Amino acid sequence: MFELQDAFARKFHYLRLSVTDVCNFKCQYCLPDGYRPDGRKSFLTLEEIRRLTRAFAAMGTNKVRITGGEPSLRKDFTAIIETVAATPGIRKVATTTNGYRMARQVADWRRAGLSAINVSVDSLDPRMFQQITGENRFHEVMAGIDAAFAAGFEQVKVNTVLMRGLNDGELGQFLAWIKDNPIQLRFIELMQTGEMDTLFERHHVRGAAIKEKLLDAGWQQKVRAHNDGPAEVFWHADYVGEIGLIIPYAQDFCASCNRLRVSSVGKLHLCLFGEYGVDLRDLLAGDGQQAALQLRLRQALADKKASHFLHQGNPGMTPHLASIGG
């Protein structure tokens, strides 16, 4: 088996697969004006997803995260989970969701083969939650988290984008929440997208500063598994839950990169911050194209850079996070 490996000896066991760029939330840091439909787009079909996942799995990928937009907006979302989970070689199927459909559907997702779930919760104050997301759905999302535990998930990961002057004062509330609950709370550093420079300058919180506070308070860092995401995870003897930090501006953030992205229209993105995508869709039309698809993936990896260019002020594709499953 030829594994997916780049020129820097990094191996890619983790695929982030976007299945739609539609989202029903209007988060300040992603889609502040809401989703704007493009009638020319057609998202990957179930059969295209099956062929794509099969090709990645044949080259060493064992974890797939299904993302959006909001992936649960697809009517065939449960079938997508089932298709990905049934692929030989795929051992872990995860999703990232805004949580608004979880209370009603998460048990079905679990039965279909979903093994891990991330939910976005940017505030534990319902009013601040609405201010950040543009939606008054805090209680629905929290009910969805409860439903996930009831469905058999042993841990739920919660994504929180920290923003100065909005939710950065809630650290104590978040810590109290995870003290007795098996939640991995993942603080994500706000990224400069190029289109929202003012938002970044006004609300950016340094992830490194949060890390210093955790270490000073006795939190200890865990060793990462080969198919873990980019979070630095910390545990504390007094807490059932954990804390994860995603700090894209940290030194050597890219050294442990192990993930590739495919957009909802079938473009391979070698980096969240890359500026172009490699079209794969013409090789997803039939089962007989697997060898050609794998060859294109290998060739594309030759162009993967050692690092992103955020430190030079180049945001790459980050203005379009919703379309590539950021």
Side-chain angles (χ1 to χ4, degrees), residues 158-178:
V158 170
N159 294 343
T160 302
V161 178
L162 279 181
M163 291 182 283
R164 186 174 67 249
L166 293 176
N167 62 359
D168 63 320
E170 295 185 44
L171 184 59
Q173 293 170 260
F174 277 115
L175 288 174
W177 185 35
I178 69 169

Side-chain angles (χ1 to χ4, degrees), residues 14-303:
Y14 178 4
L15 170 64
R16 292 183 62 101
L17 174 61
S18 176
V19 295
T20 181
D21 63 11
V22 181
C23 189
N24 58 327
F25 279 26
K26 298 182 286 291
C27 297
Q28 291 188 24
Y29 50 81
C30 185
L31 290 172
D33 299 320
Y35 175 74
R36 297 175 181 177
D38 181 349
R40 298 169 296 177
K41 285 185 179 179
S42 63
F43 302 126
L44 290 170
T45 67
L46 194 60
E47 279 300 293
E48 288 174 323
I49 290 170
R50 179 181 65 81
R51 294 180 184 116
L52 180 74
T53 307
R54 179 181 160 200
F56 271 89
M59 303 178 76
T61 296
N62 55 51
K63 175 182 176 180
V64 177
R65 177 172 298 280
I66 305 168
T67 69
E70 172 47 44
S72 69
L73 289 175
R74 284 208 34 170
K75 294 179 180 179
D76 59 351
F77 180 54
T78 303
I80 291 172
I81 294 171
E82 191 171 21
T83 297
V84 174
T87 304
I90 299 300
R91 299 198 295 268
K92 187 171 185 178
V93 182
T95 195
T96 300
T97 174
N98 60 29
Y100 94 110
R101 280 190 168 168
M102 280 177 55
R104 290 165 289 165
Q105 298 179 359
V106 72
D108 292 335
W109 303 346
R110 177 75 173 176
R111 284 189 290 268
L114 192 70
S115 49
I117 193 162
N118 288 40
V119 189
S120 296
V121 181
D122 288 313
S123 176
L124 295 178
D125 178 340
R127 292 169 297 180
M128 181 57 66
F129 180 95
Q130 182 174 3
Q131 181 177 339
I132 294 173
T133 66
E135 293 291 331
N136 183 20
R137 295 183 182 268
F138 172 77
H139 297 292
E140 292 176 54
V141 174
M142 297 300 282
I145 293 174
D146 291 338
F149 286 124
F153 288 91
E154 294 182 359
Q155 183 189 65
V156 173
K157 294 180 180 179
V158 170
N159 294 343
T160 302
V161 178
L162 279 181
M163 291 182 283
R164 186 174 67 249
L166 293 176
N167 62 359
D168 63 320
E170 295 185 44
L171 184 59
Q173 293 170 260
F174 277 115
L175 288 174
W177 185 35
I178 69 169
K179 186 171 180 61
D180 300 309
N181 292 298
I183 289 170
Q184 185 184 110
L185 183 62
R186 296 151 59 90
F187 291 124
I188 303 172
E189 187 171 3
L190 184 67
M191 292 178 289
Q192 191 167 10
T193 66
E195 291 186 353
M196 290 183 281
D197 287 346
T198 302
L199 181 83
F200 180 82
E201 292 169 4
R202 182 181 300 156
H203 297 301
H204 179 243
V205 176
R206 288 178 58 250
I210 302 297
K211 181 176 179 178
E212 291 172 10
K213 289 182 180 179
L214 292 177
L215 293 174
D216 289 343
W219 290 81
Q220 300 181 55
Q221 190 165 351
K222 296 178 68 174
V223 177
R224 293 174 60 181
H226 79 283
N227 62 358
D228 280 347
E232 299 178 35
V233 179
F234 300 82
W235 66 276
H236 194 291
D238 296 336
Y239 287 78
V240 173
E242 300 173 332
I243 293 179
L245 297 178
I246 299 179
I247 314 175
Y249 294 93
Q251 186 177 8
D252 297 328
F253 178 76
C254 300
S256 59
C257 183
N258 62 350
R259 58 208 170 275
L260 297 171
R261 288 173 166 79
V262 174
S263 76
S264 56
V265 293
K267 287 185 179 294
L268 172 70
H269 293 273
L270 301 173
C271 178
L272 176 61
F273 311 102
E275 294 187 328
Y276 69 95
V278 178
D279 194 11
L280 304 177
R281 202 161 194 179
D282 60 309
L283 297 178
L284 299 175
D287 290 342
Q289 297 174 292
Q290 287 286 296
L293 177 57
Q294 292 177 35
L295 176 60
R296 188 171 294 176
L297 291 172
R298 290 199 301 268
Q299 292 172 335
L301 271 176
D303 292 331

Side-chain angles (χ1 to χ4, degrees), residues 1 3 91 117 128 159 288 305 308 311:
M1 177 182 69
E3 285 193 307
R91 299 198 295 268
I117 193 162
M128 181 57 66
N159 294 343
K305 309 301 183 187
H308 58 53
H311 298 95

